[in-house]
Amino acid sequence: MSWVITGSQPFPAVIGEPFGGGYFAGYISHTADGNPTHALIVAPRETGATGTSYTLTTNLAWKTANTATAGTTSDFDGVANTAAMVTAGIADHPAAKFCVDLSIGGFTDWYLPSRYELDIAYFNLKPGTQANNTSWGINDYSVPKRTINNTVAYPAQTSVTAFSTSSEAFIASEHWSSTANVASSNIGWWISFASGLLGQNAKTAGYRVRAFRRIAL
Protein backbone atom coordinates (compact mmCIF):
# COMPACT_ATOMS: atom_id res chain seq x y z
CA MET A 1 0.00 0.00 0.00
CA SER A 2 0.97 3.66 -0.36
CA TRP A 3 0.53 6.03 2.52
CA VAL A 4 0.60 9.69 3.38
CA ILE A 5 2.16 10.30 6.79
CA THR A 6 0.81 13.15 8.88
CA GLY A 7 2.47 13.27 12.28
CA SER A 8 2.40 9.70 13.60
CA GLN A 9 -0.77 8.68 11.76
CA PRO A 10 -0.65 7.02 8.33
CA PHE A 11 -3.35 7.84 5.81
CA PRO A 12 -4.21 6.16 2.51
CA ALA A 13 -2.94 7.65 -0.71
CA VAL A 14 -4.46 5.31 -3.31
CA ILE A 15 -8.12 5.77 -4.18
CA GLY A 16 -10.17 2.65 -3.50
CA GLU A 17 -7.71 0.90 -1.17
CA PRO A 18 -9.09 -0.72 2.00
CA PHE A 19 -8.75 1.48 5.04
CA GLY A 20 -10.53 2.22 8.32
CA GLY A 21 -13.39 -0.25 7.97
CA GLY A 22 -14.11 0.65 4.36
CA TYR A 23 -12.36 2.10 1.32
CA PHE A 24 -10.54 5.37 0.75
CA ALA A 25 -12.73 7.63 -1.40
CA GLY A 26 -10.58 10.78 -1.48
CA TYR A 27 -9.62 13.81 0.55
CA ILE A 28 -11.80 16.79 1.41
CA SER A 29 -10.77 20.34 2.29
CA HIS A 30 -12.97 21.97 4.92
CA THR A 31 -10.94 25.12 4.36
CA ALA A 32 -12.00 25.15 0.68
CA ASP A 33 -8.47 25.92 -0.47
CA GLY A 34 -7.39 22.58 -1.90
CA ASN A 35 -5.51 21.60 1.25
CA PRO A 36 -6.82 18.29 2.64
CA THR A 37 -8.33 18.32 6.12
CA HIS A 38 -9.94 14.85 6.21
CA ALA A 39 -9.70 11.47 4.52
CA LEU A 40 -13.10 10.15 3.41
CA ILE A 41 -13.87 6.46 3.94
CA VAL A 42 -16.83 4.82 2.20
CA ALA A 43 -18.47 1.79 3.79
CA PRO A 44 -18.19 -1.58 2.04
CA ARG A 45 -21.23 -2.88 0.21
CA GLU A 46 -21.25 -6.10 2.19
CA THR A 47 -19.00 -8.18 4.40
CA GLY A 48 -18.87 -11.53 6.13
CA ALA A 49 -20.01 -15.00 5.21
CA THR A 50 -23.66 -14.02 5.39
CA GLY A 51 -23.19 -11.03 3.08
CA THR A 52 -24.37 -8.43 5.60
CA SER A 53 -25.45 -5.39 3.60
CA TYR A 54 -23.81 -2.07 4.43
CA THR A 55 -25.10 -0.34 1.32
CA LEU A 56 -28.81 0.24 1.25
CA THR A 57 -30.19 -1.32 -1.91
CA THR A 58 -33.77 -0.46 -1.06
CA ASN A 59 -35.09 3.03 -0.53
CA LEU A 60 -35.11 5.14 2.62
CA ALA A 61 -36.46 8.62 3.19
CA TRP A 62 -34.31 11.56 4.25
CA LYS A 63 -36.99 12.33 6.84
CA THR A 64 -40.40 10.98 7.78
CA ALA A 65 -41.97 14.43 7.20
CA ASN A 66 -41.24 17.23 4.77
CA THR A 67 -40.17 19.64 7.49
CA ALA A 68 -37.00 21.48 8.49
CA THR A 69 -34.24 20.00 10.62
CA ALA A 70 -31.99 22.71 12.02
CA GLY A 71 -28.27 22.44 11.29
CA THR A 72 -28.43 20.23 8.20
CA THR A 73 -27.50 22.63 5.38
CA SER A 74 -23.73 22.07 5.24
CA ASP A 75 -22.55 21.27 1.73
CA PHE A 76 -19.31 19.68 2.96
CA ASP A 77 -19.74 18.48 6.57
CA GLY A 78 -21.84 15.34 6.72
CA VAL A 79 -20.81 14.72 10.32
CA ALA A 80 -22.36 18.04 11.39
CA ASN A 81 -25.52 17.42 9.37
CA THR A 82 -25.92 13.91 10.80
CA ALA A 83 -25.26 15.10 14.36
CA ALA A 84 -28.03 17.66 13.92
CA MET A 85 -30.41 14.88 12.91
CA VAL A 86 -29.42 12.88 15.98
CA THR A 87 -30.17 15.92 18.15
CA ALA A 88 -33.52 16.48 16.44
CA GLY A 89 -34.49 12.80 16.72
CA ILE A 90 -32.68 10.25 14.61
CA ALA A 91 -35.75 8.01 14.33
CA ASP A 92 -37.32 10.74 12.19
CA HIS A 93 -34.36 10.60 9.77
CA PRO A 94 -34.25 7.05 8.32
CA ALA A 95 -31.35 7.53 5.88
CA ALA A 96 -29.06 8.96 8.54
CA LYS A 97 -30.22 6.39 11.10
CA PHE A 98 -29.16 3.60 8.77
CA CYS A 99 -25.64 5.07 8.81
CA VAL A 100 -25.26 5.86 12.51
CA ASP A 101 -26.50 2.40 13.48
CA LEU A 102 -23.67 0.69 11.58
CA SER A 103 -20.69 -0.99 13.23
CA ILE A 104 -18.07 -2.06 10.70
CA GLY A 105 -14.56 -3.22 11.52
CA GLY A 106 -14.92 -1.90 15.05
CA PHE A 107 -15.86 1.58 13.82
CA THR A 108 -19.18 3.13 14.85
CA ASP A 109 -18.69 6.72 13.62
CA TRP A 110 -20.46 6.27 10.27
CA TYR A 111 -22.61 9.13 8.98
CA LEU A 112 -24.74 10.22 6.04
CA PRO A 113 -22.36 12.15 3.75
CA SER A 114 -22.94 15.69 2.57
CA ARG A 115 -23.58 16.43 -1.08
CA TYR A 116 -20.00 17.49 -1.89
CA GLU A 117 -18.56 14.51 -0.02
CA LEU A 118 -20.66 12.29 -2.29
CA ASP A 119 -19.49 14.32 -5.29
CA ILE A 120 -15.87 13.56 -4.36
CA ALA A 121 -16.68 9.85 -4.23
CA TYR A 122 -18.41 10.04 -7.61
CA PHE A 123 -15.47 11.84 -9.19
CA ASN A 124 -12.94 9.35 -7.81
CA LEU A 125 -14.98 6.14 -7.94
CA LYS A 126 -17.47 6.58 -10.79
CA PRO A 127 -18.91 3.09 -11.28
CA GLY A 128 -19.90 3.08 -14.94
CA THR A 129 -19.38 4.52 -18.40
CA GLN A 130 -22.52 6.65 -18.74
CA ALA A 131 -22.00 10.24 -19.87
CA ASN A 132 -21.59 12.74 -17.07
CA ASN A 133 -24.07 15.50 -16.43
CA THR A 134 -22.20 18.70 -17.31
CA SER A 135 -24.16 21.04 -15.03
CA TRP A 136 -22.11 19.98 -11.99
CA GLY A 137 -18.52 19.28 -11.05
CA ILE A 138 -17.27 22.50 -9.48
CA ASN A 139 -16.41 21.59 -5.90
CA ASP A 140 -14.70 24.07 -3.59
CA TYR A 141 -14.06 21.29 -1.07
CA SER A 142 -12.44 18.70 -3.33
CA VAL A 143 -8.71 17.95 -3.31
CA PRO A 144 -7.50 19.27 -5.65
CA LYS A 145 -10.13 21.99 -5.80
CA ARG A 146 -12.28 21.64 -8.92
CA THR A 147 -13.17 24.93 -10.56
CA ILE A 148 -14.92 23.71 -13.72
CA ASN A 149 -17.86 21.42 -14.29
CA ASN A 150 -17.60 17.83 -15.47
CA THR A 151 -17.40 17.12 -19.18
CA VAL A 152 -19.36 14.35 -20.86
CA ALA A 153 -16.34 12.04 -20.62
CA TYR A 154 -14.54 13.36 -17.52
CA PRO A 155 -14.45 11.95 -14.92
CA ALA A 156 -14.16 8.55 -16.56
CA GLN A 157 -15.14 5.22 -15.04
CA THR A 158 -12.87 4.38 -12.13
CA SER A 159 -9.86 2.15 -12.79
CA VAL A 160 -10.34 0.53 -9.36
CA THR A 161 -11.64 -2.89 -10.34
CA ALA A 162 -13.74 -3.49 -7.23
CA PHE A 163 -15.54 -0.19 -7.77
CA SER A 164 -16.22 -0.75 -11.46
CA THR A 165 -17.78 -4.19 -10.86
CA SER A 166 -20.54 -5.43 -8.58
CA SER A 167 -18.11 -6.08 -5.70
CA GLU A 168 -17.91 -2.60 -4.14
CA ALA A 169 -19.22 -0.38 -6.93
CA PHE A 170 -21.67 2.36 -6.14
CA ILE A 171 -25.09 1.50 -7.49
CA ALA A 172 -25.66 3.71 -10.54
CA SER A 173 -28.68 5.56 -9.21
CA GLU A 174 -29.60 8.36 -6.81
CA HIS A 175 -28.12 8.43 -3.28
CA TRP A 176 -29.30 10.70 -0.49
CA SER A 177 -26.89 13.24 0.93
CA SER A 178 -27.31 14.74 4.39
CA THR A 179 -27.52 18.26 2.94
CA ALA A 180 -30.90 19.99 3.14
CA ASN A 181 -31.92 22.78 0.80
CA VAL A 182 -31.17 26.16 2.39
CA ALA A 183 -34.22 27.88 0.91
CA SER A 184 -36.80 25.07 1.08
CA SER A 185 -37.02 23.16 4.35
CA ASN A 186 -38.97 20.27 2.79
CA ILE A 187 -36.24 19.37 0.27
CA GLY A 188 -32.95 17.44 0.47
CA TRP A 189 -30.08 16.98 -2.00
CA TRP A 190 -29.19 13.71 -3.72
CA ILE A 191 -26.50 12.71 -6.23
CA SER A 192 -26.78 10.27 -9.11
CA PHE A 193 -23.94 7.76 -9.32
CA ALA A 194 -24.92 7.17 -12.93
CA SER A 195 -24.15 10.69 -14.20
CA GLY A 196 -22.96 12.83 -11.27
CA LEU A 197 -26.12 14.93 -11.39
CA LEU A 198 -26.90 16.73 -8.14
CA GLY A 199 -30.62 17.02 -7.65
CA GLN A 200 -33.26 17.70 -5.01
CA ASN A 201 -36.50 16.14 -3.90
CA ALA A 202 -38.94 16.06 -1.03
CA LYS A 203 -37.39 14.58 2.10
CA THR A 204 -39.97 11.79 2.24
CA ALA A 205 -38.80 10.44 -1.13
CA GLY A 206 -36.87 7.17 -1.07
CA TYR A 207 -33.29 6.90 -2.36
CA ARG A 208 -30.27 4.68 -1.78
CA VAL A 209 -27.82 5.27 1.05
CA ARG A 210 -24.10 4.61 1.50
CA ALA A 211 -22.43 5.52 4.77
CA PHE A 212 -19.14 7.37 5.17
CA ARG A 213 -16.71 7.96 7.98
CA ARG A 214 -13.83 10.41 7.99
CA ILE A 215 -10.42 10.81 9.56
CA ALA A 216 -9.03 14.23 10.44
CA LEU A 217 -5.53 14.87 9.10
Side-chain angles (χ1 to χ4, degrees):
M1 292 184 180
S2 301
W3 304 92
V4 172
I5 306 297
T6 302
S8 60
Q9 174 67 53
F11 294 97
V14 178
I15 297 296
E17 69 177 322
F19 189 81
Y23 297 87
F24 176 50
Y27 290 114
I28 191 168
S29 173
H30 282 199
T31 49
D33 58 5
N35 293 310
T37 58
H38 299 80
L40 299 176
I41 310 299
V42 60
R45 277 179 55 155
E46 61 181 36
T47 190
T50 59
T52 302
S53 176
Y54 293 132
T55 301
L56 188 71
T57 55
T58 55
N59 293 330
L60 282 180
W62 197 102
K63 193 175 182 181
T64 55
N66 292 317
T67 56
T69 299
T72 58
T73 58
S74 177
D75 288 328
F76 64 91
D77 193 342
V79 168
N81 290 338
T82 301
M85 295 184 216
V86 171
T87 297
I90 194 62
D92 295 330
H93 301 84
K97 186 178 187 301
F98 174 84
C99 299
V100 301
D101 284 349
L102 291 175
S103 177
I104 308 172
F107 299 101
T108 58
D109 55 346
W110 302 94
Y111 64 91
L112 184 64
S114 66
R115 64 172 178 157
Y116 284 122
E117 288 174 313
L118 282 172
D119 172 74
I120 290 168
Y122 175 79
F123 188 87
N124 290 330
L125 292 168
K126 179 184 174 181
T129 59
Q130 182 172 322
N132 299 305
N133 181 279
T134 58
S135 299
W136 300 96
I138 294 173
N139 189 335
D140 288 338
Y141 308 100
S142 65
V143 178
K145 185 173 182 176
R146 281 185 267 123
T147 58
I148 59 173
N149 284 333
N150 299 333
T151 67
V152 169
Y154 185 77
Q157 182 183 32
T158 180
S159 61
V160 180
T161 301
F163 279 86
S164 59
T165 68
S166 60
S167 174
E168 295 297 342
F170 280 89
I171 296 166
S173 62
E174 293 79 9
H175 288 62
W176 270 128
S177 83
S178 60
T179 305
N181 184 290
V182 173
S184 301
S185 62
N186 65 322
I187 292 174
W189 285 93
W190 51 260
I191 184 170
S192 167
F193 273 84
S195 67
L197 173 67
L198 281 163
Q200 305 172 72
N201 204 349
K203 291 178 177 178
T204 52
Y207 292 119
R208 302 184 191 277
V209 175
R210 190 148 181 181
F212 278 36
R213 61 184 299 266
R214 73 184 189 200
I215 305 169
L217 306 185

